[in-house]
Protein backbone atom coordinates (compact mmCIF):
# COMPACT_ATOMS: atom_id res chain seq x y z
CA UNK A 1 0.00 0.00 0.00
CA UNK A 2 2.86 2.39 0.81
CA UNK A 3 4.48 1.71 -2.55
CA UNK A 4 1.22 2.54 -4.37
CA UNK A 5 0.71 5.70 -2.31
CA UNK A 6 4.24 6.97 -2.92
CA UNK A 7 3.87 6.37 -6.68
CA UNK A 8 0.55 8.20 -6.70
CA UNK A 9 1.99 11.13 -4.80
CA UNK A 10 4.71 11.60 -7.43
CA UNK A 11 2.22 11.29 -10.29
CA UNK A 12 -0.40 13.65 -8.88
CA UNK A 13 -1.04 17.26 -9.81
CA UNK A 14 -3.70 19.89 -9.20
CA UNK A 15 -4.50 22.60 -11.69
CA UNK A 16 -6.95 25.29 -12.70
CA UNK A 17 -8.28 26.01 -16.16
CA UNK A 18 -10.72 28.21 -18.05
CA UNK A 19 -12.49 27.54 -21.32
CA UNK A 20 -14.99 28.94 -23.75
CA UNK A 21 -16.80 27.77 -26.81
CA UNK A 22 -20.19 27.03 -28.28
CA UNK A 23 -23.19 24.93 -27.23
CA UNK A 24 -25.45 23.57 -29.95
CA UNK A 25 -28.85 22.11 -28.98
CA UNK A 26 -29.40 18.64 -30.44
CA UNK A 27 -32.94 17.84 -31.65
CA UNK A 28 -34.43 20.90 -29.94
CA UNK A 29 -36.42 23.19 -32.19
CA UNK A 30 -37.08 25.71 -29.40
CA UNK A 31 -33.49 27.00 -28.91
CA UNK A 32 -30.56 28.05 -31.05
CA UNK A 33 -26.82 27.65 -30.52
CA UNK A 34 -25.12 29.86 -28.00
CA UNK A 35 -21.94 30.60 -26.10
CA UNK A 36 -20.39 28.70 -23.22
CA UNK A 37 -17.64 29.45 -20.71
CA UNK A 38 -16.45 27.77 -17.55
CA UNK A 39 -13.81 26.72 -15.06
CA UNK A 40 -12.14 23.31 -14.62
CA UNK A 41 -9.99 22.02 -11.76
CA UNK A 42 -8.02 19.03 -13.10
CA UNK A 43 -6.65 16.67 -10.42
CA UNK A 44 -4.32 14.03 -11.86
CA UNK A 45 -4.54 11.08 -9.48
CA UNK A 46 -2.26 8.68 -11.34
CA UNK A 47 -0.54 9.00 -14.73
CA UNK A 48 -3.59 7.78 -16.70
CA UNK A 49 -6.52 9.06 -14.61
CA UNK A 50 -7.56 12.69 -14.08
CA UNK A 51 -10.66 13.78 -12.17
CA UNK A 52 -11.91 17.20 -13.14
CA UNK A 53 -14.56 19.12 -11.18
CA UNK A 54 -16.08 21.84 -13.40
CA UNK A 55 -18.57 24.68 -13.61
CA UNK A 56 -20.00 25.94 -16.91
CA UNK A 57 -22.47 28.57 -18.02
CA UNK A 58 -24.17 28.61 -21.41
CA UNK A 59 -26.43 31.22 -22.98
CA UNK A 60 -28.45 29.53 -25.71
CA UNK A 61 -29.87 31.65 -28.53
CA UNK A 62 -33.45 32.73 -29.13
CA UNK A 63 -35.44 30.74 -31.68
CA UNK A 64 -38.43 31.72 -33.84
CA UNK A 65 -41.05 28.96 -33.76
CA UNK A 66 -43.89 28.58 -36.30
CA UNK A 67 -47.17 27.03 -35.23
CA UNK A 68 -48.97 24.60 -37.52
CA UNK A 69 -52.34 25.51 -36.02
CA UNK A 70 -53.31 28.26 -36.65
CA UNK A 71 -51.10 28.47 -39.74
CA UNK A 72 -48.79 31.43 -40.18
CA UNK A 73 -48.47 32.22 -36.48
CA UNK A 74 -44.88 32.58 -35.27
CA UNK A 75 -43.32 33.64 -32.01
CA UNK A 76 -39.83 33.89 -30.59
CA UNK A 77 -38.79 31.85 -27.57
CA UNK A 78 -35.96 33.06 -25.37
CA UNK A 79 -32.90 30.84 -25.25
CA UNK A 80 -32.19 29.12 -21.94
CA UNK A 81 -29.44 30.10 -19.56
CA UNK A 82 -27.82 26.79 -18.59
CA UNK A 83 -25.54 26.38 -15.58
CA UNK A 84 -23.89 23.03 -15.03
CA UNK A 85 -21.53 21.74 -12.37
CA UNK A 86 -20.11 18.29 -11.77
CA UNK A 87 -17.01 16.20 -12.33
CA UNK A 88 -15.50 14.41 -15.31
CA UNK A 89 -13.04 11.52 -15.34
CA UNK A 90 -10.46 11.55 -18.14
CA UNK A 91 -8.29 8.72 -19.41
CA UNK A 92 -5.22 10.75 -20.39
CA UNK A 93 -2.82 9.13 -22.84
CA UNK A 94 0.41 10.71 -24.04
CA UNK A 95 2.93 13.33 -22.99
CA UNK A 96 3.16 16.89 -24.34
CA UNK A 97 0.35 15.95 -26.76
CA UNK A 98 -2.53 14.03 -25.19
CA UNK A 99 -5.65 12.50 -26.65
CA UNK A 100 -8.28 11.56 -24.11
CA UNK A 101 -11.83 10.34 -23.78
CA UNK A 102 -13.82 11.69 -20.84
CA UNK A 103 -17.13 11.12 -19.13
CA UNK A 104 -18.85 12.57 -16.12
CA UNK A 105 -21.94 13.43 -14.17
CA UNK A 106 -23.33 16.63 -12.76
CA UNK A 107 -26.32 18.87 -12.27
CA UNK A 108 -27.71 21.18 -14.97
CA UNK A 109 -30.17 24.01 -14.46
CA UNK A 110 -32.12 25.42 -17.42
CA UNK A 111 -33.70 28.82 -16.86
CA UNK A 112 -35.76 31.12 -19.11
CA UNK A 113 -39.23 32.67 -19.16
CA UNK A 114 -41.69 30.03 -17.89
CA UNK A 115 -38.89 27.48 -17.39
CA UNK A 116 -36.84 26.74 -14.29
CA UNK A 117 -35.79 23.09 -14.43
CA UNK A 118 -32.99 21.03 -12.90
CA UNK A 119 -31.66 17.87 -14.51
CA UNK A 120 -29.05 15.22 -13.85
CA UNK A 121 -26.40 15.88 -16.46
CA UNK A 122 -24.18 13.29 -18.16
CA UNK A 123 -21.17 14.38 -20.22
CA UNK A 124 -18.94 12.40 -22.54
CA UNK A 125 -16.60 13.25 -25.36
CA UNK A 126 -13.05 13.47 -26.67
CA UNK A 127 -10.30 15.95 -26.00
CA UNK A 128 -6.93 16.91 -27.40
CA UNK A 129 -4.38 18.55 -25.11
CA UNK A 130 -1.11 20.23 -26.05
CA UNK A 131 1.46 21.34 -23.48
CA UNK A 132 3.78 23.87 -25.19
CA UNK A 133 5.67 24.55 -21.94
CA UNK A 134 5.68 22.72 -18.61
CA UNK A 135 2.65 23.36 -16.36
CA UNK A 136 0.55 24.94 -19.16
CA UNK A 137 -1.83 22.98 -21.38
CA UNK A 138 -4.22 23.98 -24.15
CA UNK A 139 -7.31 21.80 -24.62
CA UNK A 140 -9.71 21.37 -27.52
CA UNK A 141 -12.79 19.29 -26.68
CA UNK A 142 -15.92 18.06 -28.34
CA UNK A 143 -18.58 16.44 -26.23
CA UNK A 144 -22.23 15.75 -25.63
CA UNK A 145 -24.12 16.83 -22.53
CA UNK A 146 -27.38 14.97 -21.89
CA UNK A 147 -29.53 16.55 -19.19
CA UNK A 148 -32.10 13.97 -18.08
CA UNK A 149 -35.08 14.06 -15.73
CA UNK A 150 -37.32 11.01 -16.13
CA UNK A 151 -38.75 11.02 -19.67
CA UNK A 152 -37.53 14.58 -20.38
CA UNK A 153 -34.05 15.16 -21.78
CA UNK A 154 -32.16 18.04 -23.32
CA UNK A 155 -28.94 17.50 -25.21
CA UNK A 156 -26.15 19.91 -26.12
CA UNK A 157 -23.16 19.41 -28.37
CA UNK A 158 -20.31 21.38 -26.76
CA UNK A 159 -17.13 22.47 -28.55
CA UNK A 160 -14.64 24.25 -26.30
CA UNK A 161 -11.11 25.62 -26.32
CA UNK A 162 -9.35 26.29 -23.04
CA UNK A 163 -6.10 26.53 -21.13
CA UNK A 164 -5.04 25.09 -17.79
CA UNK A 165 -2.18 25.71 -15.40
CA UNK A 166 -0.77 23.07 -13.05
CA UNK A 167 -0.62 24.69 -9.61
CA UNK A 168 0.93 21.75 -7.75
CA UNK A 169 2.63 18.70 -9.19
Amino acid sequence: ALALFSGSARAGSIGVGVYGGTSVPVLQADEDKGTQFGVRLPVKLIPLITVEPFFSSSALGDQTVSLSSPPGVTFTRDGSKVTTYGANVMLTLGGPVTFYPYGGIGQAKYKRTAQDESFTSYQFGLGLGVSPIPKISIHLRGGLQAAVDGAVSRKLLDITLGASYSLFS
Side-chain angles (χ1 to χ4, degrees):
L2 287 174
L4 287 174
F5 178 74
S6 66
S8 296
R10 282 195 308 269
S13 69
I14 298 173
V16 63
V18 295
Y19 62 95
T22 188
S23 288
V24 181
V26 177
L27 301 174
Q28 295 179 88
D30 63 340
E31 305 194 86
D32 203 1
K33 67 183 174 195
T35 59
Q36 180 186 67
F37 66 90
V39 176
R40 297 178 177 131
L41 302 171
V43 179
K44 183 171 261 191
L45 301 175
I46 58 176
L48 293 176
I49 304 292
T50 300
V51 175
E52 184 179 67
F54 70 91
F55 171 83
S56 73
S57 179
S58 300
L60 299 178
D62 300 345
Q63 183 75 324
T64 301
V65 179
S66 298
L67 297 178
S68 58
S69 179
V73 175
T74 62
F75 64 96
T76 300
R77 285 197 73 169
D78 295 335
S80 295
K81 306 300 183 226
V82 183
T83 55
T84 308
Y85 63 89
N88 289 321
V89 175
M90 302 182 306
L91 179 61
T92 51
L93 307 167
V97 177
T98 58
F99 177 76
Y100 52 90
Y102 67 90
I105 189 167
Q107 187 72 25
K109 183 166 188 151
Y110 281 70
K111 193 167 187 151
R112 67 176 166 189
T113 306
Q115 177 191 30
D116 190 358
E117 298 176 289
S118 291
F119 298 91
T120 300
S121 175
Y122 303 95
Q123 297 84 24
F124 59 92
L126 295 172
L128 174 67
V130 177
S131 184
I133 58 175
K135 294 190 169 239
I136 295 183
S137 296
I138 298 168
H139 299 272
L140 175 64
R141 294 186 188 181
L144 182 67
Q145 177 187 152
V148 180
D149 181 20
V152 177
S153 73
R154 296 180 111 13
K155 296 168 199 69
L156 296 172
L157 175 64
D158 295 328
I159 301 167
T160 63
L161 180 64
S164 62
Y165 178 75
S166 181
L167 298 172
F168 308 105
S169 59

